[in-house]
Every structure is written in structure tokens, then in C-alpha cells.
Amino acid sequence: MKNLIISIACLLVLIIPWGIYGKYSSDTIEDYKAIITEQVIPSIESGRWAEAEKSFSALSADWDRYKMISAYFINTNTVNEADGFIAKAHYYIKLHDAPNASAESAYLMYQLEFLHENELPTMENIF
């Protein structure tokens, strides 16, 4: 009986932080996608580069905090790929390159969704 209680306690120590992280991650990814969809891409398309850069800089700063936390829960290769797309999109926004900035921002949304799907504790992701 003692071993069962210890096993359940260990399982809870693993599951509870993962659940908290899952909720945090889901909310954060949705916020990033909303910022890109509602602020960054419309600003790029209308040529409001200062607004686009301000919105994307805020997203980029928050992303740095998110990736530090995510390093404990998910594969860092996917986080690094998304980090690369954030850097490219930010660079294109600074260059005022509308086609590439829009394309990288749109692809970043796809990459963030892919990242979110890969961090969920599903049978596909475990095995």
C-alpha cells in the first residue's frame, strides 16, 4: 500500500505541473496568434510600420519568457524553429518589406499552432 501511495504521489508531481503548463501555453499561443492576426498583419498590409514593429516587439519580448519556461516541457528543436521565424519576421518588419513580413508572420502562426499541437500529452506525441 505504501508503494501505491508513493507511485500516485510521483504521478501527481508529474501531471499537475504539466497541466498548469498546458493551460499557460494554450493561452499564450492563442494570444500570440491574436496579436499577429489582429495587429501585426493588418499593420503591415496598411503600411503602418511603427505600429507593426511595436506590436511584434512586444510579442518577441514575451516569446523570450515563454521559451524559457517551455524548455522544461517540450522539445527545444521546435521552439528554436519558431524562434527563427520570429527573428525573420521581425527583421522583415524592420526592413519594411511587406510581402516577406506578411508571409513570415502568417507562417509563424502556422508554426505556433504546430508547436502547440506537439506539446499536448497525446498518444502520438508520447510514442
Side-chain angles (χ1 to χ4, degrees), residues 1 24 43-44 61 63 72 84 100-101 107 124:
M1 186 67 170
Y24 164 75
S43 297
I44 291 169
W63 168 258
Y72 296 106
N100 286 327
Y107 189 72
E124 285 180 352

Side-chain angles (χ1 to χ4, degrees), residues 19 25 32 58 73 106 111:
S25 177
Y32 292 161
F73 293 95
Q111 188 69 23

